[in-house]
Amino acid sequence: MADDPEIATCAGLFNQIEPAVVTFGCTSASFAGGAGGDIPVLENIKRGTSAAPSSTSTGFLDACHTLGVTRVAIASVYREEVTTRFVEFLSHAGIETVSHRSVGWEGQPDDDHRLTTADVERLARECDHPSAAAILIPETNILTTEAIPIIEAQLGKPVLTAIQVTVWHAARLAGSDWTGGIGRIWQAGLPAKSA
């Protein structure tokens, strides 16, 4: 999917509204290529529009860099081999995964959203590690709005989720300094590394 030229075509459809940013809202497709897996996505967006490009995986990297996070724990609903690719993607950017848990969600692909807030909290606690400076939850099809502040309060560290970092990264690339979003990342400034 990352190399699909249709990404450029789709990005170009937004040109009529002159967006500041166009983002690719899928975590796994933007890291599945491993190290630098988001680059083909970003290049495809650039071919379709002059707007700043972003992807969910790029958002994770910039959120970690902005917060100064170099060691993370990953709470994943992906199968183990997919989670391993995310670990490799992060490692290439200087972010070490000190702990991860893959629940290997075996339901239908659209069933991830059925995880409850309590399920997400439990998964985050199970994957946490004392040396992890943040918890990453990479799947875009999980409802995490209520869980983020609860987990941050319980574990005392930032929680970065797919939809959250996608929106945060796009907002920051567009120049927004709004701080009212959910989670500690919204208190941070502009991304330390830009796409």
Side-chain angles (χ1 to χ4, degrees):
M1 283 178 66
D3 292 322
D4 190 341
E6 286 299 310
I7 294 173
T9 302
C10 291
L13 295 175
F14 294 105
N15 288 333
Q16 60 187 320
I17 62 168
E18 300 179 3
V21 179
V22 172
T23 189
F24 184 83
C26 178
T27 317
S28 59
S30 55
F31 73 69
D38 58 335
I39 293 171
V41 172
L42 301 177
E43 289 175 349
N44 269 312
I45 292 172
K46 287 180 190 177
R47 279 193 277 281
T49 181
S50 61
S54 181
S55 77
T56 302
S57 294
T58 311
F60 271 113
L61 296 182
D62 279 357
C64 287
H65 289 131
T66 297
L67 292 171
V69 167
T70 59
R71 296 166 66 88
V72 300
I74 300 172
S76 172
V77 297
Y78 301 134
R79 294 184 310 274
E80 184 66 32
E81 61 269 23
V82 178
T83 302
T84 298
R85 286 183 180 235
F86 190 51
V87 169
E88 293 166 358
F89 173 81
L90 295 170
S91 177
H92 179 71
I95 301 164
E96 178 187 358
T97 301
V98 295
S99 173
H100 65 83
R101 176 153 163 67
S102 291
V103 297
W105 191 253
E106 299 299 334
Q108 295 299 314
D110 291 334
D111 283 351
D112 295 343
H113 71 277
R114 294 182 187 169
L115 293 175
T116 66
T117 296
D119 292 332
V120 175
E121 289 174 46
R122 185 179 65 255
L123 181 57
R125 283 192 309 273
E126 288 174 356
C127 84
D128 189 25
H129 187 277
S131 66
I135 305 292
L136 276 55
I137 305 175
E139 170 59 44
T140 55
N141 198 24
I142 299 174
L143 299 176
T144 58
T145 304
E146 294 178 3
I148 293 169
I150 295 169
I151 299 166
E152 288 188 340
Q154 287 176 347
L155 302 181
K157 58 187 71 173
V159 174
L160 302 173
T161 70
I163 297 297
Q164 172 205 44
V165 300
T166 301
V167 175
W168 169 81
H169 193 242
R172 293 303 186 248
L173 289 179
S176 172
D177 60 1
W178 187 62
T179 59
I182 298 168
R184 294 184 187 182
I185 186 59
W186 284 94
Q187 305 306 308
L190 294 171
K193 285 178 62 175
S194 69

